[in-house]
Amino acid sequence: MAVLLLAEVNNGELAFDATAKAVTAAKALGDVTVLCAGASAAAAGEAAARINDVAKVLVAEDASLGHRLSEPTAALITSLAGDFSHICAPATTDAKNIMPRVAALLDVMVISDVSGVVDADTFERPIYAGNAVQTVRSKDVTKVVTFRTSTFDAAGDGGSASIETIGAAHNPGLSEWVEDKVAESDRPELTSAGVVVSGGRGVGSKDDFALIEKLADKLGAAVGASRAAVDSGFAPNDWQVGQTGKVVAPDLYVAVGISGAIQHLAGMKDSKIIVAINKDEEAPIFQVADFGLAADLFSAVPELIEKL
């Protein structure tokens, strides 16, 4: 079996954590070839070559592959598909845009958010907001799979895979880049952070959400939010944790003013240690928390920040 793994490349740099975790999942399927594609991808290719269990790295650099456009990348992957039994990627925003297009072009199913590999044809994936695990067996000649990286450990970085430079495929020209609007932050990236502090509707307002950010900064943490907080305008969309947001599994997850709706729990219940602060003693979040504090967040969080 041969596996082609699409690496997560952002602005020419490899998202090492997401890619290394996907390598751990993919190696159970066969020899792993990593594809680094972008307007600039050489540095990402060198970083990918150092990941353990990577047999080979393909680097494709072309202007058409920049700005995260999905169609040229999907065309490139399908041009390479004949040599591989599995085409995989970490279940990131980019991969969720690219991999369904790859599956459609190959006329096969896409198996998304895989949390476990049973064998080369059989995979496990969470359904019903993580309350059940579905076992999927595919008879397709080529399997197209995305891995939920929060359930896999990252491969080490002691490898020395060979690197080959390849050309881009024909650009379908179905979309074009207009502009990027990027939110700059010194905080860790939400999906790979070791500590996450999230706020919910109980925080009360966008101004009061600064309290969550201050606590996160004290802990060197990423900032998250429940969908209720995002929908209320307290926090931006890319902070949302949950079934319709990002899935995280940090060493420490601090939930402040979050009731614990099932959709939110689906995005953070695999966290190693969960701490909940909520004035409602009956809040569902306390059922999954390792440590719970039933208190008013506006008195508890400032005191916590002071002691930290």
Side-chain angles (χ1 to χ4, degrees):
M1 297 287 183
V3 182
L4 179 65
L5 174 66
L6 176 65
E8 180 77 359
V9 178
N10 298 321
N11 299 321
E13 296 184 1
L14 181 73
F16 189 91
D17 187 72
T19 304
K21 288 179 177 179
V23 168
T24 297
K27 71 180 181 181
L29 301 170
D31 294 334
V32 179
T33 296
V34 174
L35 171 63
C36 295
S40 173
E46 292 175 3
R50 294 193 295 270
I51 300 176
N52 290 343
D53 301 309
V54 172
K56 185 178 182 180
V57 176
L58 301 178
V59 175
E61 289 188 321
D62 190 85
S64 67
L65 299 171
H67 303 299
R68 311 174 88 157
L69 298 181
S70 58
E71 295 91 352
T73 305
L76 172 62
I77 293 172
T78 53
S79 72
L80 301 169
D83 296 329
F84 299 95
S85 59
H86 297 76
I87 299 174
C88 307
T92 60
T93 303
D94 284 353
K96 289 176 181 179
N97 193 15
I98 294 167
M99 299 304 274
R101 298 177 190 274
V102 172
L105 290 168
L106 296 175
D107 195 24
V108 299
M109 68 187 292
V110 59
I111 307 171
S112 60
D113 275 321
V114 166
S115 58
V117 177
V118 178
D119 57 40
D121 300 322
T122 314
F123 307 89
E124 295 176 342
R125 58 187 301 273
I127 58 172
Y128 301 131
N131 284 288
V133 176
Q134 180 184 56
T135 302
V136 180
R137 177 172 292 167
S138 171
K139 294 182 179 180
D140 290 328
V141 175
T142 305
K143 315 295 190 295
V144 177
V145 181
T146 64
F147 295 113
R148 178 172 285 197
T149 55
S150 62
T151 61
F152 297 96
D153 294 327
D157 60 352
S160 57
S162 61
I163 301 175
E164 178 184 342
T165 301
I166 61 174
H170 172 69
N171 182 5
L174 298 174
S175 64
E176 64 179 12
W177 172 78
V178 177
E179 66 174 332
D180 288 334
K181 292 185 178 179
V182 182
E184 297 291 341
S185 175
D186 294 330
R187 298 190 183 101
E189 205 281 320
L190 182 56
T191 55
S192 60
V195 182
V196 174
V197 178
S198 285
R201 188 175 7 221
V203 177
S205 70
K206 184 176 182 178
D207 290 340
D208 288 330
F209 216 86
L211 197 61
I212 304 300
E213 296 180 60
K214 190 173 182 180
L215 176 58
D217 291 339
K218 282 287 186 181
L219 293 169
V223 179
S226 68
R227 178 171 181 173
V230 171
D231 287 349
S232 300
F234 301 169
N237 287 343
D238 58 347
W239 289 4
Q240 184 177 324
V241 173
Q243 185 178 14
T244 54
K246 294 180 178 177
V247 177
V248 301
D251 296 326
L252 172 63
Y253 187 88
V254 183
V256 181
I258 294 175
S259 63
I262 188 172
Q263 291 86 352
H264 184 77
L265 299 183
M268 45 66 74
K269 64 185 180 65
D270 290 329
S271 303
K272 307 300 185 294
I273 296 176
I274 299 172
V275 174
I277 301 174
N278 197 302
K279 65 181 180 181
D280 179 9
E281 296 182 6
E282 303 300 320
I285 191 71
F286 288 126
Q287 296 176 16
V288 299
D290 298 286
F291 300 93
L293 176 61
D296 186 338
L297 69 90
F298 293 106
S299 58
V301 174
E303 183 179 353
L304 180 57
I305 292 170
E306 181 185 351
K307 291 186 182 300
L308 286 168

